[in-house]
Amino acid sequence: MKNVLITGVGKGIGKALAEKFLKEGFFVIGTIFSGEASKGGNISLHKLDLSSRESIASCAKEIASLGKKIEILINNAGVLLDEDETKVIPEKLRRTLEVNLIGTADFTELVIPLMEKGGHIVNISSTAGSLEMSGRGISHHPYHYPAYKISKTALNMYTVTLASRLKEKEIIVSSVHPGWVRTEMGGENADISPEEAAEGIFKIAVSRPETGKFWFQGEELPW
Ligand SMILES: NC(=O)c1ccc[n+]([C@@H]2O[C@H](COP(=O)([O-])OP(=O)(O)OC[C@H]3O[C@@H](n4cnc5c(N)ncnc54)[C@H](OP(=O)(O)O)[C@@H]3O)[C@@H](O)[C@H]2O)c1
């Protein structure tokens, strides 16, 4: 049985991803932020707050003690703290980077030693973080959600640097845009359901695409 580690499985895309991987016969190790840890069947849930170094370290230790090799890591958990403002609010930027970038990278570094040769790390990013798409006005309004956008652009650079570092270990690292999804973050008017987003992410996560790229439904996105 293959093992997948997914962050933020309590709701939204992460929850749908956990259900999809279970259905496909994976053992799912999930992290949970506001809910409770639990174990049962083919799923094991562990508390994780990506804004806390202590929580990241103890969660990684708990996961290591399961003694399972991880084939796929999906860094799904994330926050969108910007509201209608278009200027950077330093405190929001700090809190956003703490979860979407620093905590995610910190956690990933602790999980890499648990990963198999031939594994795949999927960073759930966003077209909102694409310099090219935002700059050309293809994606979101250039001035909106600055903290969120900055965090996803930086996460994309983590994908690129990590991909080249892990080439020798034959671990693929990808950034993946899930689509505009009907979750608490995406809102009720978004294009697709969390289940539809999970289908697309699953497909790329179990495939062996070229490492260090940015994907949406099988198509490569510009950085
Ligand atoms: N929805 C969209 O349209 C869209 C578009 C592009 C990219 N994305 C990306 O897709 C990913 C999932 O988004 P979503 O729409 O499913 O959002 P969501 O419904 O708001 O879920 C976010 C998840 O992150 C977890 N989380 C929040 N703060 C955390 C922290 N400090 N430590 C650990 N986990 C934390 C949440 O835990 P709790 O359940 O406990 O609150 C939840 O499981 C995010 O990375 C997001 O940026 C979403």
Side-chain angles (χ1 to χ4, degrees), residues 8 11 13 33-34 48-50 76 124-125 148 152 179 181 183:
K11 66 182 180 198
I13 298 169
F33 176 51
S34 34
L48 172 66
D49 176 359
L50 284 168
N76 162 77
I124 302 298
S125 183
Y148 180 74
K152 293 297 187 183
V181 192
T183 62

Side-chain angles (χ1 to χ4, degrees), residues 13 22-23 52 64 66 77 93 100 104 109 134 139 146-147 150 168 209:
I13 298 169
L22 278 174
K23 212 167 75 191
S52 150
L66 297 174
L93 177 60
N100 293 5
T104 297
E109 296 298 333
S134 275
S139 176
I150 292 165
E168 240 173 57

Side-chain angles (χ1 to χ4, degrees), residues 18-29:
E19 284 160 4
K20 172 68 182 168
F21 275 92
L22 278 174
K23 212 167 75 191
E24 296 290 338
F26 277 74
F27 186 88
V28 174
I29 305 164

